[in-house]
Amino acid sequence: MLHLRMITPADRTEAVVKAIETTVGTTHLVVLPGAAREPRGDVVMCDVAREAGDELLQELRRLRIGEDGSIAVENIDLSLSRRADAAEEEAPGEAADAVLWEQLTEATHEESTLSITYVAFMILATMIAACGVVLDNAILIVGAMAVGPEFGPLAGVCTGLVQRRPRLALRSLAALLIGFALAIAATTLFSLGMDAIGQFHEGMLDSPRPNTGFIWKPDPFSFVVSLLAGVAGVLSLTSAKSGALVGVAISVTTVPAGANAAVALSYGELAQMWGSAEQLLLNLGGIMLAGVLTLYGQKALWATQRGRWARRPAKT
């Protein structure tokens, strides 16, 4: 269940209440006339089944409640109520399958911000991966994959394209490309510094690396894995199962490929550098393609159910 708390202009409160009452899967409606001070208006609260949340939010946006008042949405971890149970039963489908597009857009917007923290995580992850590729240490590679924050901008690009929000897509793409560019540049300097103090040497990069040599040798399996990871990552976001993102992060060679490119560049190993760059672009492209297709598939699935659950006669 979701809990909605709204501040509504007094002249639109009746329309908001009607929208809530006629939406499948809503309950626990509370109206507090004149309770809000900033902005001034009425406070309206209700609970709604996650499956019906997106339809209700769209209607509230149509009434411009977000522009002239406010809409806050919270997940309810525990609700001991027969009415809540009945509301969830009334809304067809499963909560885990429902997509809250406004929530997804907001989450990806935050995750794709080109902030100091985001860049710092990108640089640190790439430096850890550089140590992993030079030492042929799979544990360090997995750790770097888990630390890397690149899936946020990837999801932002997918969401922006599907929702036709070009600013979000361009913002996310810029964060992705600039983040990798800065991380590779910083890791190149890091590699040169490690070489200067005797911790890295060119022979470590040229010697056989059974655990990490695949990073700069893209093949069809790389693209297949990136497609599967893209689907899994988007599903983990839309279903609020963020724990699955850890598995997605350590399944695709993005940050390690950037790290191998940086180390190879520092030693002038152009073959490895271009191979790593190709691996990186292949995986990024595969994730974005799969993410876009998954979101379109989810959108089509819920569109087919809209006629059944979006609106019903007012509840008595």
Side-chain angles (χ1 to χ4, degrees), residues 268-283:
E269 294 281 351
L270 298 184
Q272 283 203 38
M273 184 193 74
W274 288 116
S276 301
E278 184 180 350
Q279 177 82 275
L280 174 61
L281 294 176
L282 184 70
N283 288 329

Side-chain angles (χ1 to χ4, degrees), residues 47-173:
D47 295 341
V48 58
R50 183 180 174 88
E51 304 93 300
D54 190 62
E55 285 296 310
L56 181 55
L57 287 172
Q58 287 187 26
E59 181 64 17
L60 295 174
R61 290 294 299 270
R62 189 187 68 80
L63 293 170
R64 298 181 62 83
I65 302 304
E67 288 79 359
D68 302 324
S70 75
I71 304 171
V73 183
E74 300 174 335
N75 287 307
I76 300 177
D77 295 326
L78 176 64
S79 179
L80 303 178
S81 167
R82 289 184 179 179
R83 290 183 178 271
D85 294 339
E88 289 187 313
E89 287 291 331
E90 187 181 28
E94 296 294 332
D97 297 332
V99 180
L100 293 176
W101 293 100
E102 293 294 337
Q103 186 182 60
L104 178 62
T105 301
E106 183 66 22
T108 52
H109 181 275
E110 293 179 1
E111 292 293 329
S112 61
T113 300
L114 188 62
S115 62
I116 294 176
T117 301
Y118 167 78
V119 173
F121 270 114
M122 282 293 296
I123 291 174
L124 290 172
T126 309
M127 288 180 176
I128 293 171
C131 296
V133 298
V134 169
L135 298 174
D136 194 35
N137 189 314
I139 295 177
L140 291 176
I141 294 297
V142 171
M145 289 176 171
V147 171
E150 74 278 10
F151 194 83
L154 285 168
V157 173
C158 298
T159 303
L161 291 175
V162 173
Q163 289 292 89
R164 297 181 182 179
R165 300 193 179 188
R167 291 185 63 182
L168 174 61
L170 291 174
R171 174 195 180 101
S172 302
L173 185 61

Side-chain angles (χ1 to χ4, degrees), residues 19 22-25 51-52 55-56 92 302 305-312:
T22 57
T23 297
V24 174
E51 304 93 300
E55 285 296 310
L56 181 55
W302 281 98
Q305 300 183 6
R306 182 172 300 173
R308 292 193 302 143
W309 63 271
R311 289 283 183 262
R312 288 184 183 177

Side-chain angles (χ1 to χ4, degrees), residues 6-11 13 31-44:
M6 294 151 282
I7 296 178
T8 66
D11 61 342
T13 299
V31 180
L32 303 174
R37 292 292 180 266
E38 179 57 40
R40 288 191 174 275
D42 303 332
V43 174
V44 180

Side-chain angles (χ1 to χ4, degrees), residues 126-127 129-134 141 184 187-188 191 204-206 209 212-217 253-267 269-277 279-280:
T126 309
M127 288 180 176
C131 296
V133 298
V134 169
I141 294 297
I184 290 173
T187 303
T188 301
S191 178
M204 300 171 75
L205 192 66
D206 294 331
R209 291 183 286 148
T212 59
F214 69 94
I215 290 174
W216 63 280
K217 298 175 182 177
T253 308
T254 50
V255 166
N260 200 83
V263 177
L265 177 63
S266 69
Y267 288 117
E269 294 281 351
L270 298 184
Q272 283 203 38
M273 184 193 74
W274 288 116
S276 301
Q279 177 82 275
L280 174 61

